[in-house]
Amino acid sequence: MPHKIPESVLVIIHTCALEVLLIERADRPGFWQSVTGSRDTPDEPLIDTAARELFEETGIVADGEHIRLHDWQHSSVYEIYPLWRHRYAPGIAHNTEHVFSVCVPRDIPIVLSPREHLRHAWLGHLEAAGRCFSMSNAEAIAQLPLHL
């Protein structure tokens, strides 16, 4: 399997009422997060990465008309958790994460990839931020009201 590219997207899925969708990792039960994923190729546009990951992990299609991804034009660099470093080339310890959000109706069907996620939950944005295992994910969710 090729090494992951250390540049990824974080997609915060929310409703107009600031309910946030979190998904629980299948490989780490109890680890809740928003949609995340790395670029497939170094030149893949980040908006395409975000749309692909959104669909792969939840079944939500960002069609650009009814469901639109919002690029926050914000990124952060974080240290990759040691348990996941084997997915990257030797010596890679940091990832650059680009933040996106998408507003959806609360009753939108969610279709999880069973090999990636166990279940999902809709939570108020502050409760969702508190449940995330990733600090960058929690911080982005806490900032959600500023990006509406």
Side-chain angles (χ1 to χ4, degrees):
M1 180 176 216
H3 291 118
K4 287 181 72 158
I5 296 168
E7 190 168 19
S8 66
V9 297
L10 170 70
V11 182
I12 301 168
I13 303 166
H14 65 91
T15 67
C16 292
L18 290 179
E19 292 175 291
V20 173
L21 181 77
L22 290 185
I23 48 184
E24 184 180 20
R25 295 184 66 98
D27 63 352
R28 290 285 185 252
F31 279 40
W32 290 85
Q33 66 182 51
S34 295
V35 166
T36 62
S38 296
R39 282 180 152 166
D40 274 350
T41 63
D43 60 343
E44 179 181 34
L46 290 167
I47 192 82
D48 293 352
T49 305
R52 176 177 48 75
E53 291 293 339
L54 178 66
F55 177 72
E56 287 176 2
E57 294 189 17
T58 67
I60 297 172
V61 176
D63 62 10
E65 186 177 333
H66 301 99
I67 307 283
R68 290 186 194 106
L69 284 162
H70 172 63
D71 184 347
W72 288 18
Q73 299 293 311
H74 174 78
S75 63
S76 60
V77 176
Y78 65 84
E79 187 173 352
I80 299 165
Y81 285 92
L83 66 117
W84 287 305
R85 281 198 195 146
H86 68 278
R87 298 177 177 176
Y88 299 86
I92 300 294
H94 292 85
N95 183 73
T96 301
E97 181 178 73
H98 303 271
V99 182
F100 291 80
S101 61
V102 60
C103 186
V104 300
R106 173 67 168 77
D107 62 353
I108 194 165
I110 304 300
V111 180
L112 299 179
S113 168
R115 71 176 183 81
E116 288 192 71
H117 299 101
L118 300 174
R119 57 192 169 136
H120 70 277
W122 287 100
L123 304 168
H125 83 284
L126 293 177
E127 184 181 355
R131 189 172 296 184
C132 289
F133 77 92
S134 161
M135 190 57 92
S136 64
N137 195 167
E139 289 172 0
I141 290 173
Q143 297 287 318
L144 180 61
L146 302 175
H147 291 273
L148 299 181

